[in-house]
């Protein structure tokens, strides 16, 4: 298995603090699933995607679908950071008067392309968007972030076959491969290995990267598309709960509710104590 | 009706490049002319209905109008979550064309018989459901589907169904159509049961009994106003459908009749497929006979109610409470 040792810089810590601010207000959330996504989303929004926060539906934007919708706190942190909405919304996470829920909704949150939360939907939607872009001769890209556990869903592989059939080199599947799902490790619940070979055999051009190494992610994403007339897949090796000791690789942090303020304070201090 | 719906998709697509045709693994030659003339808008995506719906949603998010066609059971049961989340939650303009609604595929068994398609889709917010009676009604419906907001499920009967509705004229999604007037009972139909109801009405007319027929091609949104207005005028209301009695037209009518709290209350019956999986093969007609979806059963149901109603009316004349039957 690939090692995931990347050092977290101040921006990575800052984004994680924003996630903890949402957790503090909501008292709940898929914390560990969001933490494994932070560097992937950070690099995409900082260096790769074309978008206009003031015009979220700008027709030439790159489309990013967070198919593993339960990782949405990381997406909310980046969207707010880029100005799609005010960070004050963090204070209403999962509240009746807020737009940010436990799974992201396109009709509520500017910058969210598709409402997700039920797994195995995003790649098919991405295929539809990418086919449309090809029909129109448009240059934008469609990126879909999936969890490795999500790849249990048969619909993911239906979509993969279709992406290859349509030679969608404007489409990339980014797999947040944190090796854990709700019940246990992916190896125990439904072993996906060899995951890269699976994607390759389904017609994708595949690369792997350390999903917390900002430089490596940037280089990898900048190389998209990896092949002419083939969809791309990037297996990002990540750590569930990355950045907070005690949450890292800890199954009991897949989803938490009824968090006390004391527990939140401890999470903040553990995050800030990162080397 | 099946040929009509495909013809319409082809004709509509010729003048509107937002329109796409998507199938799973349909019969050889399906829409060949469409494929020849507009290959970039013709998709045959394989036996993967869950993906098909998601892909159609992605295309709809970008402003396309996909018409997705396969066998009704596969189009509704297999991919229900994709319909709920990708289509209904997003109010995506995808049109689902379900072949073989009801008992059309009788010889192929329960895996192919769409007996609860209307019920499960009716439970989804933002969904529109239409079940035309014949090819004429399908041709009137289809132009109205292009710019209708949100997803639409169009239930298709088999080919060569008898024509019972006019060739031309208007069609409005969400409107019920009065096909026959009568004072003694109201029969509500959707899909091909209109034909059976019209035959029953003619037979009853010969006995001097006049029944009204309100055809309800749009199951959702239901034309509540027209249905209640007609129900108000008669003592007997019967919902008649080629669908499970659970959750379809009969349930929808029962809900609004119950809430209307008519006084005196209405005699009401749901004629449909009982809450079972069909246990025989045969033909659509033989299974409809088995489940009592026939002219005779409709007539006997009406006559039985008429007897009871006259008895009640005579009791009422003696000064009893009209509201208690």
């Amino acid at each position: 298995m690939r090692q995931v040792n990347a050092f977290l810089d101040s921006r990575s810590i800052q984004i994680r603090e924003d996630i903890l601010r949402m957790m503090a207000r909501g008292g709940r959330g898929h914390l560990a699933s969001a933490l494994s996504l932070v560097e992937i989303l950070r690099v995409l929004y900082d260096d790769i995607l074309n978008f206009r926060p003031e015009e979220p539906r700008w027709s030439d934007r790159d489309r990013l679908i967070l198919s593993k919708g339960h990782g949405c706190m990381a997406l909310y942190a980046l969207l707010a950071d880029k100005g799609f909405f005010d960070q004050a919304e963090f204070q209403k996470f999962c509240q009746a008067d807020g737009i940010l829920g436990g799974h992201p909704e396109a009709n509520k949150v500017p910058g969210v392309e598709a409402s997700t939360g039920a797994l195995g939907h995003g790649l098919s939607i991405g295929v539809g968007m990418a086919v449309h872009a090809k029909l129109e001769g448009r240059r934008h890209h469609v990126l879909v972030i999936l969890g490795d556990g999500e790849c249990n869903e048969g619909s993911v592989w239906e979509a993969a076959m279709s992406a290859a059939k349509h030679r969608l080199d404007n489409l990339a599947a980014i797999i947040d491969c944190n090796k854990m799902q709700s019940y246990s490790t992916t190896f125990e619940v439904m072993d996906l290995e060899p995951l890269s070979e699976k994607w390759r055999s389904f017609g994708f051009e595949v690369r792997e990267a350390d999903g917390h190494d900002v430089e490596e992610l940037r280089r990898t994403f900048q190389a998209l598309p990896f092949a002419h007339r083939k969809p791309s897949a990037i297996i990002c090796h990540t750590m569930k709960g990355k950045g907070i000791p005690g949450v890292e690789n800890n199954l009991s942090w897949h989803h938490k509710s009824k968090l006390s303020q004391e527990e939140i304070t401890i999470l903040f201090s553990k995050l800030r104590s990162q080397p | 009706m099946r040929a009509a719906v495909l013809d319409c998709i082809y004709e509509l697509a010729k003048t509107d490049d937002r329109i796409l045709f998507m199938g799973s693994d349909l019969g050889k030659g399906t829409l060949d002319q469409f494929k020849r003339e507009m290959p970039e808008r013709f998709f045959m995506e394989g036996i993967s209905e869950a993906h098909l719906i998601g892909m159609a949603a992605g295309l709809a998010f970008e402003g396309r109008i996909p018409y997705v066609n396969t066998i009704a059971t596969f189009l509704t049961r297999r991919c229900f979550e994709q319909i709920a989340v990708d289509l209904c939650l997003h109010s995506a303009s995808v049109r689902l064309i379900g072949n073989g609604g009801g008992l059309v595929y009788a010889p192929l068994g329960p895996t192919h018989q769409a007996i609860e398609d209307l019920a499960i889709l009716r439970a989804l917010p933002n969904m529109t459901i239409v079940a035309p009676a014949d090819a004429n009604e399908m041709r009137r419906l289809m132009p109205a589907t292009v710019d209708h907001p949100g997803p639409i499920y169009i239930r298709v009967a088999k080919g060569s169904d008898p024509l019972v509705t006019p060739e031309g004229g208007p069609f409005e999604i969400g409107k019920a159509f009065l096909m026959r007037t009568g004072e003694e009972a109201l029969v509500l139909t959707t899909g091909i049961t209109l034909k059976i109801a019209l035959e029953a009405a003619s037979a009853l007319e010969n006995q001097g009994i006049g029944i009204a027929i309100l055809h309800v091609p749009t199951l959702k949104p239901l034309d509540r106003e027209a249905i209640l207005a007609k129900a108000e005028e008669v003592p007997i209301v019967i919902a008649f459908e080629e669908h499970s009695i659970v959750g379809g037209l009969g349930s929808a009518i029962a809900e609004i009749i119950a809430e209307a709290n008519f006084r005196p209350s209405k005699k009401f019956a749901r004629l449909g497929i009982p809450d079972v999986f069909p246990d025989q093969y045969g033909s659509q007609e033989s299974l409809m006979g088995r489940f009592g979806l026939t002219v005779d059963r409709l007539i006997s149901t009406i006559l039985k109610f008429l007897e009871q109603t006259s008895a009640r009316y005579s009791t009422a004349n003696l000064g009893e409470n009209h509201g208690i039957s």
Side-chain angles (χ1 to χ4, degrees):
Chain A
M1 195 196 308
R2 273 196 59 157
Q3 293 301 303
V4 178
N5 296 319
F7 161 82
L8 299 184
D9 63 11
S10 60
R11 179 153 172 73
S12 279
I13 298 284
Q14 175 63 50
I15 295 164
R16 284 176 170 78
E17 286 186 342
D18 287 344
I19 291 171
L20 285 182
R21 273 192 271 280
M22 286 175 240
M23 286 289 284
R25 185 65 186 97
R28 64 183 309 133
H30 287 89
L31 177 62
S33 313
L35 293 176
S36 66
L37 268 177
V38 169
E39 281 67 41
I40 295 170
L41 285 169
R42 165 192 166 176
V43 171
L44 289 173
Y45 279 94
D46 284 356
D47 303 308
I48 305 295
L49 299 173
N50 281 314
F51 56 86
R52 290 179 178 169
E54 69 288 356
E55 192 186 350
R57 297 280 161 182
W58 173 45
S59 62
D60 289 335
R61 73 193 183 281
D62 293 317
R63 276 69 164 162
L64 175 88
I65 298 169
L66 183 63
S67 193
K68 54 164 282 186
H70 58 291
C72 59
M73 288 192 293
L75 179 63
Y76 298 156
L78 264 302
L79 289 174
D81 179 74
K82 295 299 178 188
F84 282 90
F85 54 84
D86 198 289
Q87 287 196 344
E89 279 297 329
F90 296 167
Q91 293 307 312
K92 292 186 271 182
F93 177 66
C94 285
Q95 304 300 305
D97 59 347
I99 61 170
L100 307 180
H103 296 96
E105 289 189 67
N107 64 346
K108 292 199 176 113
V109 188
V112 170
E113 293 286 347
S115 302
T116 53
L119 295 172
H121 290 233
L123 192 57
S124 293
I125 293 171
V127 167
M129 289 176 163
V131 164
H132 171 79
K134 288 280 182 192
L135 285 176
E136 303 252 303
R138 307 277 286 281
R139 305 284 299 275
H140 62 261
H141 288 259
V142 181
L143 306 178
V144 182
I145 302 178
L146 302 101
D148 50 357
E150 182 178 6
C151 295
N152 293 174
E153 290 280 6
S155 56
V156 169
W157 303 101
E158 294 179 4
M161 287 187 280
S162 177
K165 169 190 168 177
H166 292 289
R167 305 177 190 281
L168 297 177
D169 51 14
N170 56 347
L171 176 75
I174 299 167
I175 294 96
D176 174 10
C177 191
N178 61 30
K179 324 292 186 294
M180 297 181 94
Q181 49 199 100
S182 181
Y183 178 76
S184 183
T185 65
T186 54
F187 307 104
E188 186 185 340
V189 176
M190 182 54 68
D191 195 354
L192 295 157
E193 294 300 332
L195 190 56
S196 286
E197 283 177 41
K198 280 196 175 70
W199 284 97
R200 205 166 280 126
S201 71
F202 273 74
F204 281 62
E205 189 69 20
V206 182
R207 303 225 179 142
E208 300 191 38
D210 179 331
H212 298 297
D213 184 327
V214 170
E215 286 305 321
E216 190 180 346
L217 286 170
R218 190 180 294 133
R219 277 196 309 276
T220 308
F221 292 145
Q222 280 171 344
L224 285 169
F226 300 149
H228 184 52
R229 291 166 66 78
K230 278 176 85 172
S232 302
I234 307 115
I235 312 285
C236 298
H237 294 279
T238 59
M239 181 188 285
K240 197 153 175 172
K242 173 72 176 175
I244 305 183
V247 178
E248 289 180 345
N249 283 333
N250 182 346
L251 282 169
S252 64
W253 278 93
H254 171 75
H255 180 262
K256 278 277 188 187
S257 58
K258 296 178 183 162
L259 277 177
S260 69
Q261 289 312 304
E262 191 184 353
E263 286 171 296
I264 295 284
T265 306
I266 294 169
L267 292 173
F268 270 108
S269 68
K270 281 183 172 174
L271 172 63
R272 285 167 187 151
S273 70
Q274 282 291 289
Chain B
M1 193 188 296
R2 197 179 302 166
V5 72
L6 294 176
D7 285 351
C8 288
I9 294 168
Y10 165 74
E11 292 296 335
L12 292 167
K14 277 203 297 189
T15 58
D16 189 335
D17 64 9
R18 295 173 300 167
I19 293 176
L20 313 172
F21 179 75
M22 303 176 75
S24 55
D25 185 28
L26 301 173
K28 183 169 169 52
T30 302
L31 277 180
D32 261 352
Q33 196 175 359
F34 186 124
K35 187 181 179 184
R36 235 180 0 258
E37 294 174 20
M38 300 170 274
E40 73 289 353
R41 288 191 277 142
F42 180 93
F43 296 85
M44 197 61 69
E45 287 302 299
I47 306 160
S48 54
E49 293 79 9
H51 165 65
L52 191 61
I53 300 299
M55 179 179 172
L59 285 155
F61 295 173
E62 299 287 353
R64 298 280 178 170
I65 306 170
Y67 283 74
V68 182
N69 180 215
T70 189
I71 290 174
T73 48
F74 310 152
L75 192 57
T76 55
R77 291 174 178 168
R78 174 71 64 99
C79 45
F80 187 71
E81 188 180 76
Q82 275 75 13
I83 294 175
V85 176
D86 302 348
L87 304 189
C88 293
L89 179 61
H90 293 84
S91 223
S93 294
V94 172
R95 285 72 181 96
L96 305 173
I97 318 284
N99 287 355
L103 300 166
V104 169
Y105 290 125
L108 302 185
T111 57
H112 285 57
Q113 292 154 1
I115 57 172
E116 81 298 315
D117 52 338
L118 306 177
I120 61 176
L121 296 181
R122 201 166 70 84
L124 294 175
N126 299 333
M127 178 58 87
T128 293
I129 304 171
V130 192
D134 60 16
N136 285 345
E137 191 165 60
M138 183 65 85
R139 287 184 192 282
R140 294 199 306 280
L141 155 71
M142 287 301 284
T145 62
V146 176
D147 287 312
H148 185 79
I152 308 175
Y153 175 68
I154 300 164
R155 191 192 222 212
V156 184
K158 66 177 176 186
S160 316
D161 302 283
L163 298 176
V164 292
T165 73
E167 199 169 317
F171 186 96
E172 197 178 327
I173 292 174
K175 281 280 175 211
F177 299 93
L178 189 64
M179 306 303 290
R180 207 171 162 118
T181 55
E183 308 289 309
E184 306 199 52
L186 169 66
V187 176
L188 299 133
T189 63
T190 196
I192 61 156
T193 54
L194 172 60
K195 173 188 163 282
I196 302 168
L198 288 168
E199 284 175 29
S202 297
L204 286 166
E205 193 173 40
N206 293 336
Q207 298 178 42
I209 297 166
I211 66 165
I213 298 176
L214 188 62
H215 179 50
V216 188
T218 309
L219 261 292
K220 188 175 182 173
L222 201 61
D223 190 350
R224 186 186 169 91
E225 198 178 321
I227 294 165
L228 290 180
K230 291 314 294 178
E232 175 87 60
E233 299 169 3
V234 294
I236 297 165
V237 177
I238 295 170
F240 188 31
E241 62 189 317
E242 185 196 10
H243 182 274
S244 168
I245 53 165
V246 179
L249 176 72
S251 296
I253 301 298
E255 289 158 13
I256 62 171
I257 296 276
E259 286 179 350
N261 290 302
F262 285 113
R263 285 295 178 270
S265 62
K266 304 296 172 187
K267 288 287 179 190
F268 176 76
R270 294 168 298 159
L271 296 190
I273 301 167
D275 185 19
V276 295
F277 286 105
D279 58 346
Q280 290 184 349
Y281 302 108
S283 64
Q284 180 186 23
E285 201 180 358
S286 70
L287 273 186
M288 287 184 70
R290 180 163 178 77
F291 295 133
L293 303 176
T294 59
V295 173
D296 288 350
R297 168 95 181 285
L298 181 55
I299 289 174
S300 66
T301 306
I302 291 168
L303 290 178
K304 189 186 77 186
F305 275 161
L306 278 173
E307 244 171 62
Q308 295 171 357
T309 318
S310 342
R312 182 178 65 175
Y313 278 175
S314 49
T315 314
N317 289 340
L318 296 173
E320 303 260 333
N321 186 336
H322 283 223
I324 299 167
S325 51

